[in-house]
Amino acid sequence: MIAQTRAYTEQMVSRLYPTSRAAIMWREDGAAELTYMPQVYDEHLHPTERQLTTIFAHQLAHLSQYALHVELAYALLRCKLRDSTAGLPPEQHRNPAALTFGHGQYVERLVSKALCGQDVIGALPGDPEPSALYTELRRDPHAPTNSPYVNLGEQFVKVLVTAGGFPLLRAALTQEELYPTDAEVEEPTLWLTRHHAAVESAAAADEGASALSA
């Protein structure tokens, strides 16, 4: 499965050029490796130090996900295969990628706000402008890199953190039975209702951790 995941990642990086800013590649020994594409930054993105820091934070979030639960590396392919084989309707297909990419974007915004007071993705007014090709692709709603499930996944992560703190987010990332379906990513209250016990358990753990740190 690792070999398939590596091939899939390489294919997506090529397909998403030049809007793919970085990727987690998998070596033959199964170790995760953070890979940046210098040409994207030199010829298209023209990032400031703040942008580079937020992008790095986004990718570190992905590395931390895999360190926490390495099976996330191939969860999307596995869930897609199993859910399709089971004959589930599309809205019931699990979408762990929305969770992982949403978490990465969530972290990127947190770091941006800490650095400049604004939770933005990309350039601020006055920053160097990206290339015309990069800008056009980022604005195209049909471009592969602009999947609505990234933003929806970020909103889903916010709902989880609000409901049960980081213990709930950790549970959602590490327990396959908690992976959200497409319908739940679009409407997080469905997930909160279906996994009420997990929400209550995580909320209690979060309160306990807060009390200990107070």
Side-chain angles (χ1 to χ4, degrees), residues 49-129:
E49 184 175 343
R50 177 196 61 82
Q51 282 179 273
L52 283 173
T53 302
T54 61
I55 293 168
F56 188 60
H58 184 135
Q59 299 303 321
L60 282 180
H62 291 316
L63 285 175
S64 70
Q65 293 163 2
Y66 302 140
L68 183 66
H69 189 58
V70 70
E71 285 82 1
L72 279 169
Y74 43 85
L76 176 62
L77 296 179
R78 185 177 65 244
C79 288
K80 184 181 296 186
L81 176 61
R82 288 183 175 179
D83 294 346
S84 297
T85 302
L88 296 176
E91 66 273 11
Q92 292 182 22
H93 285 196
R94 290 165 296 171
N95 193 344
L99 179 62
T100 56
F101 282 105
H103 176 225
Q105 187 161 286
Y106 171 81
V107 169
E108 184 171 348
R109 287 191 194 276
L110 286 180
V111 173
S112 176
K113 189 168 185 178
L115 291 174
C116 69
Q118 300 185 51
D119 57 349
V120 298
I121 301 294
L124 290 169
D127 286 347
E129 293 289 335

Side-chain angles (χ1 to χ4, degrees), residues 97-98 101-103 105-106 109 121 138 145-158 185-186 188:
F101 282 105
H103 176 225
Q105 187 161 286
Y106 171 81
R109 287 191 194 276
I121 301 294
R138 290 299 299 173
T145 191
N146 294 332
S147 167
Y149 281 103
V150 176
N151 290 330
L152 288 170
E154 181 186 1
Q155 296 306 312
F156 183 83
V157 167
K158 288 181 179 179
V185 172
E186 295 175 11

Side-chain angles (χ1 to χ4, degrees), residues 137-202:
L137 289 173
R138 290 299 299 173
R139 289 176 177 171
D140 181 3
H142 302 295
T145 191
N146 294 332
S147 167
Y149 281 103
V150 176
N151 290 330
L152 288 170
E154 181 186 1
Q155 296 306 312
F156 183 83
V157 167
K158 288 181 179 179
V159 170
L160 262 60
V161 173
T162 299
F166 288 100
L168 185 58
L169 176 59
R170 180 188 181 98
L173 287 167
T174 57
Q175 300 177 40
E176 186 168 324
E177 65 272 16
L178 297 182
Y179 291 164
T181 64
D182 284 348
E184 290 169 337
V185 172
E186 295 175 11
E187 184 48 71
T189 56
L190 297 174
W191 189 94
L192 294 177
T193 300
R194 184 160 72 99
H195 298 294
H196 181 67
V199 174
E200 285 194 335
S201 176

Side-chain angles (χ1 to χ4, degrees), residues 21-64:
R21 303 173 304 175
I24 306 298
M25 306 297 290
W26 293 89
R27 300 200 305 257
E28 291 183 1
D29 62 2
E33 187 175 78
L34 176 56
T35 303
Y36 282 85
M37 282 62 78
Q39 187 177 6
V40 170
Y41 295 86
D42 295 341
E43 299 182 10
H44 297 283
L45 189 55
H46 312 139
T48 62
E49 184 175 343
R50 177 196 61 82
Q51 282 179 273
L52 283 173
T53 302
T54 61
I55 293 168
F56 188 60
H58 184 135
Q59 299 303 321
L60 282 180
H62 291 316
L63 285 175
S64 70

